[in-house]
Short mmCIF file of all heavy atoms in Angstrom, two decimals:
data_model
loop_
_atom_site.label_atom_id
_atom_site.label_comp_id
_atom_site.label_asym_id
_atom_site.label_seq_id
_atom_site.Cartn_x
_atom_site.Cartn_y
_atom_site.Cartn_z
N PHE A 1 -27.11 76.13 -0.67
CA PHE A 1 -28.56 76.34 -0.65
C PHE A 1 -29.06 76.55 -2.08
O PHE A 1 -28.80 77.62 -2.69
CB PHE A 1 -28.97 77.53 0.20
CG PHE A 1 -28.72 77.29 1.69
CD1 PHE A 1 -27.57 77.74 2.31
CD2 PHE A 1 -29.66 76.58 2.37
CE1 PHE A 1 -27.36 77.54 3.67
CE2 PHE A 1 -29.47 76.38 3.81
CZ PHE A 1 -28.31 76.82 4.45
N ALA A 2 -29.67 75.52 -2.65
CA ALA A 2 -30.23 75.58 -4.02
C ALA A 2 -31.74 75.56 -3.88
O ALA A 2 -32.29 75.63 -2.77
CB ALA A 2 -29.71 74.42 -4.82
N GLU A 3 -32.45 75.41 -4.99
CA GLU A 3 -33.91 75.37 -4.94
C GLU A 3 -34.43 74.30 -5.87
O GLU A 3 -33.83 74.02 -6.89
CB GLU A 3 -34.53 76.73 -5.33
CG GLU A 3 -34.22 77.14 -6.75
CD GLU A 3 -35.00 78.38 -7.19
OE1 GLU A 3 -36.25 78.39 -7.02
OE2 GLU A 3 -34.41 79.29 -7.78
N THR A 4 -35.55 73.72 -5.49
CA THR A 4 -36.24 72.82 -6.44
C THR A 4 -36.87 73.66 -7.51
O THR A 4 -37.35 74.77 -7.21
CB THR A 4 -37.27 71.97 -5.71
OG1 THR A 4 -38.21 72.85 -5.00
CG2 THR A 4 -36.60 71.04 -4.68
N LYS A 5 -36.90 73.14 -8.71
CA LYS A 5 -37.48 73.86 -9.83
C LYS A 5 -38.59 73.07 -10.50
O LYS A 5 -38.49 71.88 -10.61
CB LYS A 5 -36.42 74.18 -10.92
CG LYS A 5 -35.16 74.93 -10.37
CD LYS A 5 -35.49 76.37 -10.08
CE LYS A 5 -35.71 77.19 -11.32
NZ LYS A 5 -35.83 78.67 -10.95
N ALA A 6 -39.63 73.76 -10.98
CA ALA A 6 -40.69 73.11 -11.77
C ALA A 6 -40.11 72.82 -13.16
O ALA A 6 -39.16 73.48 -13.62
CB ALA A 6 -41.88 74.03 -11.89
N GLY A 7 -40.70 71.87 -13.83
CA GLY A 7 -40.27 71.51 -15.17
C GLY A 7 -40.62 72.62 -16.17
O GLY A 7 -41.47 73.46 -15.92
N TYR A 8 -39.93 72.60 -17.28
CA TYR A 8 -40.15 73.59 -18.36
C TYR A 8 -41.39 73.14 -19.20
O TYR A 8 -41.55 71.99 -19.49
CB TYR A 8 -38.95 73.63 -19.32
CG TYR A 8 -37.70 74.23 -18.65
CD1 TYR A 8 -36.90 73.42 -17.89
CD2 TYR A 8 -37.35 75.54 -18.80
CE1 TYR A 8 -35.72 73.91 -17.30
CE2 TYR A 8 -36.22 76.09 -18.24
CZ TYR A 8 -35.42 75.25 -17.48
OH TYR A 8 -34.26 75.72 -16.88
N ASP A 9 -42.26 74.07 -19.57
CA ASP A 9 -43.41 73.78 -20.37
C ASP A 9 -42.92 73.33 -21.77
O ASP A 9 -41.93 73.84 -22.28
CB ASP A 9 -44.35 74.95 -20.43
CG ASP A 9 -43.96 76.03 -21.39
OD1 ASP A 9 -44.26 75.86 -22.60
OD2 ASP A 9 -43.32 76.98 -20.99
N SER A 10 -43.69 72.41 -22.31
CA SER A 10 -43.29 71.80 -23.63
C SER A 10 -43.76 72.59 -24.81
O SER A 10 -43.46 72.17 -25.94
CB SER A 10 -43.88 70.33 -23.64
OG SER A 10 -45.30 70.40 -23.63
N TRP A 11 -44.50 73.71 -24.61
CA TRP A 11 -44.96 74.47 -25.71
C TRP A 11 -44.08 75.64 -26.10
O TRP A 11 -43.80 75.84 -27.32
CB TRP A 11 -46.39 74.99 -25.37
CG TRP A 11 -47.41 73.97 -25.41
CD1 TRP A 11 -47.94 73.28 -24.38
CD2 TRP A 11 -48.12 73.48 -26.56
NE1 TRP A 11 -48.89 72.38 -24.80
CE2 TRP A 11 -49.03 72.52 -26.16
CE3 TRP A 11 -48.06 73.82 -27.95
CZ2 TRP A 11 -49.85 71.81 -27.05
CZ3 TRP A 11 -48.89 73.09 -28.83
CH2 TRP A 11 -49.78 72.14 -28.35
N LEU A 12 -43.53 76.32 -25.11
CA LEU A 12 -42.78 77.55 -25.42
C LEU A 12 -41.34 77.47 -24.90
O LEU A 12 -40.38 77.55 -25.63
CB LEU A 12 -43.47 78.79 -24.84
CG LEU A 12 -44.77 79.20 -25.54
CD1 LEU A 12 -45.41 80.39 -24.79
CD2 LEU A 12 -44.58 79.58 -26.98
N ALA A 13 -41.21 77.33 -23.54
CA ALA A 13 -39.85 77.42 -22.94
C ALA A 13 -38.93 76.31 -23.45
O ALA A 13 -37.80 76.60 -23.88
CB ALA A 13 -40.04 77.35 -21.43
N ALA A 14 -39.36 75.05 -23.30
CA ALA A 14 -38.45 73.98 -23.68
C ALA A 14 -38.06 74.04 -25.18
O ALA A 14 -36.87 73.87 -25.53
CB ALA A 14 -39.04 72.64 -23.33
N PRO A 15 -38.99 74.21 -26.11
CA PRO A 15 -38.62 74.31 -27.52
C PRO A 15 -37.70 75.50 -27.81
O PRO A 15 -36.77 75.41 -28.65
CB PRO A 15 -39.95 74.50 -28.25
CG PRO A 15 -40.94 73.85 -27.35
CD PRO A 15 -40.48 74.16 -25.97
N ALA A 16 -37.87 76.62 -27.11
CA ALA A 16 -37.02 77.79 -27.34
C ALA A 16 -35.57 77.51 -26.93
O ALA A 16 -34.60 77.84 -27.63
CB ALA A 16 -37.56 79.00 -26.57
N ILE A 17 -35.43 76.88 -25.75
CA ILE A 17 -34.07 76.54 -25.26
C ILE A 17 -33.43 75.51 -26.19
O ILE A 17 -32.27 75.61 -26.51
CB ILE A 17 -34.15 76.02 -23.83
CG1 ILE A 17 -34.59 77.17 -22.89
CG2 ILE A 17 -32.76 75.50 -23.39
CD1 ILE A 17 -34.90 76.74 -21.48
N GLN A 18 -34.24 74.55 -26.63
CA GLN A 18 -33.70 73.51 -27.49
C GLN A 18 -33.32 74.10 -28.84
O GLN A 18 -32.30 73.74 -29.45
CB GLN A 18 -34.78 72.44 -27.67
CG GLN A 18 -34.22 71.07 -28.14
CD GLN A 18 -35.19 69.95 -27.79
OE1 GLN A 18 -36.42 70.16 -27.69
NE2 GLN A 18 -34.66 68.79 -27.55
N ARG A 19 -34.09 75.05 -29.35
CA ARG A 19 -33.77 75.70 -30.59
C ARG A 19 -32.47 76.45 -30.56
O ARG A 19 -31.62 76.37 -31.46
CB ARG A 19 -34.90 76.64 -30.99
CG ARG A 19 -34.56 77.76 -31.97
CD ARG A 19 -34.42 77.18 -33.40
NE ARG A 19 -33.99 78.19 -34.30
CZ ARG A 19 -32.82 78.26 -34.92
NH1 ARG A 19 -31.94 77.32 -34.67
NH2 ARG A 19 -32.54 79.21 -35.78
N VAL A 20 -32.26 77.19 -29.47
CA VAL A 20 -31.06 78.06 -29.40
C VAL A 20 -29.87 77.35 -28.88
O VAL A 20 -28.74 77.35 -29.45
CB VAL A 20 -31.34 79.32 -28.54
CG1 VAL A 20 -30.08 80.15 -28.37
CG2 VAL A 20 -32.47 80.14 -29.14
N PHE A 21 -30.01 76.62 -27.77
CA PHE A 21 -28.86 75.99 -27.09
C PHE A 21 -28.68 74.54 -27.42
O PHE A 21 -27.65 73.94 -27.06
CB PHE A 21 -29.01 76.19 -25.58
CG PHE A 21 -28.88 77.55 -25.07
CD1 PHE A 21 -30.03 78.33 -24.87
CD2 PHE A 21 -27.65 78.15 -24.96
CE1 PHE A 21 -29.92 79.65 -24.43
CE2 PHE A 21 -27.55 79.47 -24.54
CZ PHE A 21 -28.67 80.24 -24.28
N GLY A 22 -29.65 73.90 -28.06
CA GLY A 22 -29.46 72.57 -28.57
C GLY A 22 -29.65 71.45 -27.54
O GLY A 22 -29.35 70.27 -27.87
N PHE A 23 -30.22 71.73 -26.37
CA PHE A 23 -30.46 70.68 -25.39
C PHE A 23 -31.85 70.77 -24.79
O PHE A 23 -32.47 71.85 -24.83
CB PHE A 23 -29.38 70.67 -24.27
CG PHE A 23 -29.47 71.87 -23.34
CD1 PHE A 23 -30.20 71.79 -22.13
CD2 PHE A 23 -28.81 73.03 -23.60
CE1 PHE A 23 -30.24 72.84 -21.29
CE2 PHE A 23 -28.83 74.11 -22.70
CZ PHE A 23 -29.57 74.02 -21.56
N ASP A 24 -32.35 69.65 -24.31
CA ASP A 24 -33.63 69.60 -23.65
C ASP A 24 -33.45 70.06 -22.21
O ASP A 24 -32.78 69.37 -21.44
CB ASP A 24 -34.17 68.18 -23.70
CG ASP A 24 -35.52 68.00 -23.04
OD1 ASP A 24 -35.97 68.96 -22.38
OD2 ASP A 24 -36.13 66.96 -23.14
N PRO A 25 -34.02 71.16 -21.77
CA PRO A 25 -33.82 71.69 -20.47
C PRO A 25 -34.39 70.79 -19.37
O PRO A 25 -33.87 70.77 -18.22
CB PRO A 25 -34.50 73.06 -20.49
CG PRO A 25 -35.50 72.96 -21.50
CD PRO A 25 -34.92 72.09 -22.56
N ASN A 26 -35.40 70.02 -19.68
CA ASN A 26 -35.93 69.14 -18.69
C ASN A 26 -34.98 67.92 -18.41
O ASN A 26 -34.92 67.36 -17.31
CB ASN A 26 -37.34 68.60 -19.12
CG ASN A 26 -38.37 69.68 -18.88
OD1 ASN A 26 -38.48 70.23 -17.87
ND2 ASN A 26 -39.16 69.90 -19.99
N GLU A 27 -34.22 67.56 -19.44
CA GLU A 27 -33.20 66.51 -19.23
C GLU A 27 -32.08 67.07 -18.34
O GLU A 27 -31.65 66.38 -17.41
CB GLU A 27 -32.61 66.12 -20.62
CG GLU A 27 -31.77 64.92 -20.61
CD GLU A 27 -31.36 64.45 -21.96
OE1 GLU A 27 -31.67 65.16 -22.98
OE2 GLU A 27 -30.65 63.40 -22.08
N ARG A 28 -31.68 68.32 -18.56
CA ARG A 28 -30.71 68.91 -17.69
C ARG A 28 -31.24 69.06 -16.28
O ARG A 28 -30.53 68.88 -15.27
CB ARG A 28 -30.25 70.25 -18.26
CG ARG A 28 -29.46 71.13 -17.39
CD ARG A 28 -28.14 70.55 -16.87
NE ARG A 28 -27.43 71.47 -15.99
CZ ARG A 28 -26.58 71.11 -15.07
NH1 ARG A 28 -26.25 69.83 -14.91
NH2 ARG A 28 -26.01 72.00 -14.28
N LEU A 29 -32.53 69.48 -16.14
CA LEU A 29 -33.09 69.68 -14.84
C LEU A 29 -33.16 68.39 -14.02
O LEU A 29 -32.89 68.38 -12.87
CB LEU A 29 -34.56 70.23 -14.99
CG LEU A 29 -35.29 70.53 -13.70
CD1 LEU A 29 -34.56 71.61 -12.85
CD2 LEU A 29 -36.71 71.04 -13.98
N ALA A 30 -33.44 67.27 -14.71
CA ALA A 30 -33.43 65.97 -14.04
C ALA A 30 -32.02 65.68 -13.52
O ALA A 30 -31.85 65.11 -12.40
CB ALA A 30 -33.88 64.86 -14.98
N GLN A 31 -31.01 66.01 -14.29
CA GLN A 31 -29.61 65.80 -13.85
C GLN A 31 -29.32 66.66 -12.63
O GLN A 31 -28.68 66.21 -11.67
CB GLN A 31 -28.65 66.15 -14.99
CG GLN A 31 -27.18 65.98 -14.63
CD GLN A 31 -26.28 66.52 -15.73
OE1 GLN A 31 -26.39 67.66 -16.13
NE2 GLN A 31 -25.30 65.71 -16.18
N VAL A 32 -29.77 67.93 -12.62
CA VAL A 32 -29.57 68.78 -11.49
C VAL A 32 -30.20 68.25 -10.21
O VAL A 32 -29.56 68.16 -9.16
CB VAL A 32 -30.13 70.22 -11.80
CG1 VAL A 32 -30.21 71.07 -10.55
CG2 VAL A 32 -29.25 70.88 -12.86
N HIS A 33 -31.51 67.87 -10.32
CA HIS A 33 -32.23 67.39 -9.12
C HIS A 33 -31.62 66.09 -8.65
O HIS A 33 -31.77 65.76 -7.44
CB HIS A 33 -33.67 67.27 -9.46
CG HIS A 33 -34.43 68.58 -9.46
ND1 HIS A 33 -35.65 68.71 -10.07
CD2 HIS A 33 -34.09 69.78 -8.97
CE1 HIS A 33 -36.03 70.02 -9.91
NE2 HIS A 33 -35.07 70.64 -9.33
N GLY A 34 -31.00 65.34 -9.51
CA GLY A 34 -30.43 64.02 -9.10
C GLY A 34 -29.00 64.13 -8.67
O GLY A 34 -28.33 63.10 -8.39
#
């Protein structure tokens, strides 16, 4: 039992994750949902 997730906003959340962890979280989210 997992959950569908909304995409990460491109102003704060996605740039912060990309800055620290080095990946685009929306790219990973697409992989998860698929």
Side-chain angles (χ1 to χ4, degrees):
F1 291 98
E3 64 170 310
T4 56
K5 303 289 288 185
Y8 294 82
D9 79 85
S10 61
W11 287 96
L12 292 175
I17 293 169
Q18 202 158 27
R19 160 74 182 111
V20 175
F21 293 98
F23 69 93
D24 180 351
N26 285 309
E27 192 175 2
R28 167 61 181 156
L29 182 60
Q31 181 189 51
V32 166
H33 284 162

